Amino acid sequence: MLTTHGAVVFLFSVIIGGGFGLLTYAATPNLPTAVLTGLTAVGASLFGLRQMIGR
């Protein structure tokens, strides 16, 4: 099971990653680059948000 804290962090990470991916695709219409940018942003924001949003 996923805690509320984990769910909130994951949700915001996916939103941030989706935003980065969409902005990258809008700037350079290259889908693989946009997907990799979005996934990288999700991973980085998971770590950062987990540290910032304490329990």
Side-chain angles (χ1 to χ4, degrees), residues 30-55:
N30 187 355
L31 187 60
T33 302
V35 170
L36 286 175
T37 302
L39 289 175
T40 303
V42 168
S45 62
L46 269 175
F47 177 73
L49 288 174
R50 196 178 121 246
Q51 299 296 325
M52 286 195 313
I53 303 174
R55 291 184 183 217

Side-chain angles (χ1 to χ4, degrees), residues 1-24:
M1 295 297 293
L2 190 62
T3 64
T4 304
H5 176 262
V8 169
V9 168
F10 187 71
L11 175 68
F12 282 125
S13 295
V14 169
I15 290 171
I16 290 170
F20 271 91
L22 286 173
L23 288 173
T24 302

